[in-house]
Amino acid sequence: MVSLLRTIRLDASDGILFSPAAEPGEWAVPGGFLWHGRPFEGLSRKERVAFRSAFLGVQSFGFSTLAVVTRVSFSERVAAVEALAQSFVTHLGAPDLQTARGAAEEEIAFAEELCRGHDEGRIIALHREEDEAGELRERFRSLRPREETAYGAPGLNGHDRPFHFVQSDEDEQGEGIDLFAGLRSGET
């Protein structure tokens, strides 16, 4: 059995950052081919964000910040190749499915190679940049959820929030900090 990438959405940010955003759970490829020969300066703001950090959803041709390693059967892999070939015809103007299938196979094989050696459920992120010679460079990182947060609070699934609220049995009287004291007394 092999592994491929699926888009994953941990929060609503992809819907804000990308136009269009990939649907959660669709097959994904790095999609560097979309940017080949397109100068970075000529990209819109949302295209620049996608250029730098997004995987390409195979069916929607939308973007996703993260992808997750997923074990697939041979028939699922074939379906992913076919879906990408169809998208090449629909979105990029490939002349026919047979022609598009070869390029789709290469892209799916590249995604498969990225997954090699990673456990199912591993999250993959990418960073893409253009070097001085105009060549695209892609770097991939694998992310794994932490067992506990920095504060030892379980149940956040490896994603910290900016604030943690902790119930306390201590008396609410006592020493407190008045954040507005200086403003009320005329200090600046």
Side-chain angles (χ1 to χ4, degrees), residues 88-164:
F88 283 164
V89 171
T90 303
H91 298 283
L92 299 180
D96 55 59
L97 277 174
Q98 184 174 347
T99 304
R101 223 173 258 123
E105 176 61 42
E106 286 181 29
E107 289 299 316
I108 294 295
F110 181 47
E112 184 179 340
E113 183 61 32
L114 286 173
C115 294
R116 196 176 316 271
H118 293 296
D119 295 331
E120 184 170 26
R122 181 62 55 100
I123 295 174
I124 308 293
L126 85 91
H127 176 75
R128 186 179 295 116
E129 60 189 4
E130 189 177 67
D131 66 16
E132 295 80 28
E135 296 293 319
L136 295 182
R137 301 285 178 225
E138 293 177 324
R139 291 179 294 181
F140 300 89
R141 294 184 307 151
S142 68
L143 311 170
R144 76 185 102 162
R146 290 176 276 178
E147 295 298 319
E148 292 187 351
T149 67
Y151 302 104
L156 295 178
N157 298 324
H159 306 287
D160 279 341
R161 295 186 173 113
F163 297 99
H164 294 276

Side-chain angles (χ1 to χ4, degrees), residues 13 35 52 58 90 111 148 179:
S13 62
W35 313 109
R52 287 186 183 119
V58 166
T90 303
E148 292 187 351
L179 297 175

Side-chain angles (χ1 to χ4, degrees), residues 3-58:
S3 296
L4 292 178
L5 297 170
R6 282 196 185 270
T7 59
I8 185 171
R9 194 178 296 180
L10 300 178
D11 60 25
S13 62
D14 281 0
I16 297 165
L17 292 173
F18 304 125
S19 182
E23 291 299 318
E26 65 179 289
W27 300 117
V29 293
F33 58 85
L34 283 179
W35 313 109
H36 184 72
R38 295 179 66 191
F40 185 76
E41 301 78 34
L43 302 176
S44 71
R45 184 179 56 82
K46 288 191 177 207
E47 288 174 325
R48 286 178 184 205
V49 174
F51 169 86
R52 287 186 183 119
S53 63
F55 289 93
L56 180 67
V58 166

